[in-house]
Amino acid sequence: MSESLVNTKRRIATIRSTEKITKAMKLVAAVKYQRWRKAYDNNSGYFMAMERTLQRALSSLYSASLDEIDVKLPPAMVDHPEAKKDLVLIVSSSLGLCGAYNYNLFKLADSLLKPEDELILIGEKARGHYQNSRHTCNNDYVALGDNPTYASVRKLRHYLVRAYKTGKYRNVRLIYTHYKNSLTFLPTELTLLPFQPENVELTIDKSASYPPIYEPSLQDVIESIVPHYIDALMYRKMLDSLVSEQASRRNAMETATDAADKISAQLRLEYNKARQNAITQEITEVVAGANAGKKKDEEE
């Protein structure tokens, strides 16, 4: 067998081995995707209930009929316009082989960051990407995104609120990947602090004759709800990123498996053609040799 056939056969074996690996990784990513997608869906009910509760309380706060109520906003809702920099959380993956997931995330983050901003990095890829940057980076929460829990997210929220209360930061922002569907993932920026819920005015019931009564007070209710809502919001965005990461990795491994299968089929075709040509050449040489020997015998 010629050297070219041996090399082609080795390439086929290598590609088949790679295909087995990518197929196994695809299955693992699919299982993880289903796990985190289930957690994401199960979290929807709690998050929506928390959002509705907060909106009812803030609707009472912003209602024109309650102007006489003197409510001091919690620290998480107070602006710091005099601050000169932002604190930015970047949620990336800790593992690779997930397509353009991290590339698109860092592309958005790099376009939004300013030199004076400080970073909290979540995920090993974020730490690697910004380890030599000019930004001040906090790596204490790098592992948080691998298996987020309410307890770990609450711990991070306590840190963020304490840092924001010092007046050192103008905003606390979160850059993560929003899961739209199994094929579409959008890098997204969200302002966590100061906390300003959108469209809260839409929940105001102006037809109500009497405003709701809050015990012990409206301020106590808001001060209690806002931190828990921020916990729920951050936890949901962590799940958002995890679902996007696993779906992206599953898609990348599926594409790699299909590509390996296509290349393997093409190489097998080339190998069979080359092998057939080699066999034909050998037969031709044998026949030619036999004819030459027969002709020599006849001449003798």
Side-chain angles (χ1 to χ4, degrees), residues 163-268:
Y164 182 72
K165 285 169 61 177
T166 63
K168 183 179 178 181
Y169 304 106
R170 182 174 56 249
N171 297 294
V172 176
R173 295 181 287 148
L174 174 67
I175 298 178
Y176 69 103
T177 304
H178 171 62
Y179 175 81
K180 189 172 182 180
N181 55 52
S182 60
L183 297 175
T184 307
F185 329 105
L186 304 175
T188 308
E189 181 194 27
L190 173 68
T191 299
L192 293 174
L193 301 172
F195 178 68
Q196 297 175 343
E198 298 179 357
N199 301 325
V200 69
E201 294 84 2
L202 298 179
T203 64
I204 297 175
D205 186 5
K206 296 183 178 181
S207 63
S209 301
Y210 300 96
I213 298 174
Y214 294 92
E215 290 292 343
S217 68
L218 178 58
Q219 179 167 337
D220 290 335
V221 171
I222 292 177
E223 288 181 349
S224 177
I225 292 178
V226 168
H228 290 296
Y229 178 77
I230 295 176
D231 291 344
L233 180 63
M234 291 177 59
Y235 180 71
R236 186 160 183 80
K237 300 313 177 184
M238 292 290 181
L239 293 180
D240 225 348
S241 294
L242 267 173
V243 173
S244 299
E245 175 191 345
Q246 299 304 332
S248 181
R249 181 173 290 110
R250 183 194 62 180
N251 295 340
M253 292 301 99
E254 183 176 11
T255 301
T257 300
D258 294 342
D261 185 64
K262 184 177 180 180
I263 295 173
S264 179
Q266 183 178 357
L267 287 176
R268 284 197 299 268

Side-chain angles (χ1 to χ4, degrees), residues 1 16-17 26 36 42 52 55 84 106 130 136 147 163 177 186 188 199 215 232 247 255 263 279 282:
M1 189 177 292
R16 282 179 175 174
S17 177
K26 172 191 169 184
W36 290 114
N42 291 340
R52 288 194 301 268
Q55 285 183 339
K84 302 299 182 182
F106 296 144
Y130 291 104
T136 301
N147 188 23
T177 304
L186 304 175
T188 308
N199 301 325
E215 290 292 343
T255 301
I263 295 173
I279 293 173
E282 290 178 2

Side-chain angles (χ1 to χ4, degrees), residues 90-94 101-102 105-106 122-127 245:
I90 300 178
V91 183
S92 71
S93 70
S94 290
Y101 173 83
N102 289 305
L105 179 75
F106 296 144
I122 299 176
E124 291 291 344
K125 295 301 180 181
R127 176 159 62 178
E245 175 191 345

Side-chain angles (χ1 to χ4, degrees), residues 16-87:
R16 282 179 175 174
S17 177
T18 303
E19 183 179 358
K20 291 179 180 178
I21 295 173
T22 56
K23 186 177 293 186
M25 294 183 67
K26 172 191 169 184
L27 294 176
V28 172
V31 171
K32 290 184 177 180
Y33 167 75
Q34 293 296 335
R35 171 194 171 190
W36 290 114
R37 178 60 192 273
K38 183 177 180 180
Y40 180 80
D41 292 338
N42 291 340
N43 176 258
S44 298
Y46 173 79
F47 179 76
M48 293 175 63
M50 180 66 71
E51 189 173 44
R52 288 194 301 268
T53 303
L54 178 64
Q55 285 183 339
R56 291 191 186 102
L58 293 179
S59 295
S60 298
L61 175 63
Y62 297 148
S63 175
S65 62
L66 296 179
D67 291 337
E68 67 279 3
I69 295 181
D70 183 18
V71 177
K72 183 180 179 181
L73 294 177
M77 298 180 66
V78 177
D79 292 330
H80 296 154
E82 70 284 355
K84 302 299 182 182
K85 59 184 175 181
D86 292 351
L87 181 61

